[in-house]
Amino acid sequence: HMDVYWHDYANSMGDIPITEAPLTEKASIIGRSGLMLLSCGTGAWRVRSSMNTLAEQLGITCTANIGLMSIDYTCFDGDNCFSQSLCLTNTGVNTSKLNRMEQFINEFQKEGKFMSGEELLLGGGLFEMVCAFLGAGLGNFVRCKLAKHHFTLFLCIVSSIAVSCLTYSGLLKLAEALLAVSTQHEAGYICAMLFIIPGFPFITSGIDLAKLDMRSGLERLAYAIVIILVATVTAWIMALILNLKPVDFPDLNLNQYSMLIFRLLASFGGVFGFSIMFNSPISIATSAAIIGAIANTLRLESVDLIGFPPAAAAFIGSLTAGILASLIKNKVGYPRISITVPSIVIMVPGLYLYRAVYNMGAMSLIVSASWFASAMLIILALPLGLIFARILTDKSFRFCT
């Protein structure tokens, strides 16, 4: 796509306040803000709501059609009409940028409307944990470097998964030779590649569909499915090459209370890590990690102690995360989605999805179908939990407006 030279357009209007600028410049501010929000990974409903807020402050009307990577919108001022189509070159997640953009939208009434267009446009066990940490770290590093140089999505996924599996397998072989580590630890290679699971578009697709933003919801869902298919097939091929098998993990032999403590700690660390991957500042990452530790531990304990089905437990965990995030948002003002989604990404059943594909490749179709069905139920339950939490705590989300 060609770059849009926003500053060139804004400079031509001079230093007059944006509220006194022509419709073209007002619409450009609205479109640029919407595109920046969309680039953060937030849902279409939030993008449209923010664009409408800016339009209201500027005294015009805006209608927008929003997809995964594009926005088509039209602005009216009573006499004139301006339409524009904007596209991103790639999609991703950036909760730090999202937080700053929401602050910009919230403070526009007090500060932004008095600025010129140019001023506005500036702007398992221990061994598996260690090996998976190193494998996932190198894999994600490769993915980020390739994405930074604008390589295609498929190449980024295949390369990062291959590096993760190779790193884990290499470390395992080294440990077997030097430390006599059991080969049963090879199952941890699955954990080393779970960083690729697209939890953010999965969850936001469900939220968009709940608000009948069908285009954005279906595009996000298709994007997530493409990533999962490419990642799991690549991992399956690497498993065949390296002779790795997704067997059960060795028993940790922990009592009930020790397991509870370690689940809290592991959930905190996992959510904090995902938040940092989404470019969250430390304060947002910590808030999400606290919520995730509570919600994910509640989910796991509901399965073990009460015997809840995994999907029902996932709904309870997601609902808890959504309600806790709303309580924190009211006190600290963080964007709700920058806390809720990282806190439940850890619940997305990447292990289930991989085992479904692995067993399908081995033609164990009954086993594959069982893993796949379990994964689908959990994936459906996660956004539903957030949606119902949002309905209970957010009046603006409760109604069709």
Side-chain angles (χ1 to χ4, degrees), residues 139 142-143 146-147 151-161 196:
V142 170
R143 181 180 66 140
L146 293 176
F151 283 96
T152 185
L153 175 67
F154 279 30
L155 179 60
C156 294
I157 297 172
V158 171
S159 300
S160 59
I161 292 296
I196 203 71

Side-chain angles (χ1 to χ4, degrees), residues 272-293:
F272 187 87
F274 271 117
S275 296
I276 295 300
M277 279 179 57
F278 298 150
N279 200 35
S280 297
I282 297 298
S283 55
I284 291 182
T286 303
S287 299
I290 292 172
I291 292 174

Side-chain angles (χ1 to χ4, degrees), residues 232-255:
T232 51
V233 170
T234 302
W236 170 59
I237 294 173
M238 291 302 299
L240 294 179
I241 294 172
L242 300 172
N243 194 30
L244 299 172
K245 296 180 176 62
V247 296
D248 292 333
F249 294 104
D251 193 351
L252 295 177
N253 295 316
L254 297 175
N255 62 42

Side-chain angles (χ1 to χ4, degrees), residues 318-391:
S318 179
L319 179 68
T320 302
I323 292 174
L324 292 176
S326 296
L327 296 176
I328 288 182
K329 181 188 185 304
N330 294 335
K331 293 184 179 296
V332 298
Y334 297 144
R336 185 185 281 102
I337 197 170
S338 67
I339 306 175
T340 53
V341 175
S343 68
I344 69 169
V345 162
I346 198 172
M347 304 181 192
V348 175
L351 172 64
Y352 287 27
L353 291 168
Y354 171 69
R355 286 188 165 178
V357 173
Y358 181 93
N359 284 286
M360 183 182 296
M363 296 307 293
S364 299
L365 300 183
I366 295 178
V367 178
S368 173
S370 177
W371 283 112
F372 184 75
S374 298
M376 288 300 100
L377 288 173
I378 295 173
I379 288 172
L380 289 172
L382 291 176
L384 282 176
L386 284 189
I387 290 166
F388 276 94
R390 194 71 176 269
I391 290 172

